[in-house]
Amino acid sequence: MAELERIGISLDKDLLVDFDKLIARRGYQSRSEAIRDLVRQQLSEERLADPEAQAVAAVFLVYDHHAANLAEKLIAIQHSHLLQAISSLHVHLDHHDCLEVIVLRGQVAEINRVGENILSMKGVKLGRVNLVAP
Ligand code: NI
């Protein structure tokens, strides 16, 4: 574990009350733990604003498995040399629909481009690209 440094923070009382409620709702053990996560979250979001930053992403999509060639197209995208497809998960939701989660690694701009490509494919009903920059 990295060396810890103690800091003091001044907050308006109202803001602190709201913050403590947030901490309770989310189940944090301490204010310090909550603040660490908020700082990490902000730093990650700032990195994601850079199109050339390295990131990982989970692309979630629900699609109709009767849609022509969609499964093959998804596999072809995962073999694309521009991005590294780390893993994928397939769940047969019901008679029609499948859920697929594809984990990608690469540059932010490339992930977004490929993610949007996937989500706009014919047969994809719902989808989302979740990026993080660890
Ligand atoms: Ni399926």
Side-chain angles (χ1 to χ4, degrees), residues 90-92 98:
H90 186 101
V91 180
H92 311 296
C98 301

Side-chain angles (χ1 to χ4, degrees), residues 14-26:
D14 290 350
L15 188 58
L16 185 58
V17 167
D18 286 347
F19 185 49
D20 284 341
K21 285 180 190 165
L22 177 95
I23 288 171
R25 279 199 303 275
R26 296 197 181 171

Side-chain angles (χ1 to χ4, degrees), residues 10 13 31 36 38-40 45 49 52-53 62 65 70 86 89 91 101 105 107 122 125 133:
S10 304
K13 270 189 181 162
R31 288 173 176 161
R36 280 193 285 272
L38 288 172
V39 170
R40 283 192 206 101
E45 277 176 26
E52 292 181 1
V62 174
H65 82 130
L70 186 58
I86 302 167
L89 167 78
V91 180
V101 182
R105 174 185 280 167
Q107 285 193 337
K122 197 176 175 198
K125 294 177 173 177

Side-chain angles (χ1 to χ4, degrees), residues 20-67:
D20 284 341
K21 285 180 190 165
L22 177 95
I23 288 171
R25 279 199 303 275
R26 296 197 181 171
Y28 282 109
Q29 299 301 305
S30 69
R31 288 173 176 161
S32 290
E33 190 53 44
I35 287 170
R36 280 193 285 272
D37 272 10
L38 288 172
V39 170
R40 283 192 206 101
Q41 178 72 30
Q42 282 306 116
L43 291 172
S44 174
E45 277 176 26
E46 197 174 82
R47 283 195 289 270
L48 292 177
D50 174 6
E52 292 181 1
Q54 288 293 314
V56 289
V59 181
F60 293 80
L61 61 150
V62 174
Y63 66 93
D64 184 340
H65 82 130
H66 299 110

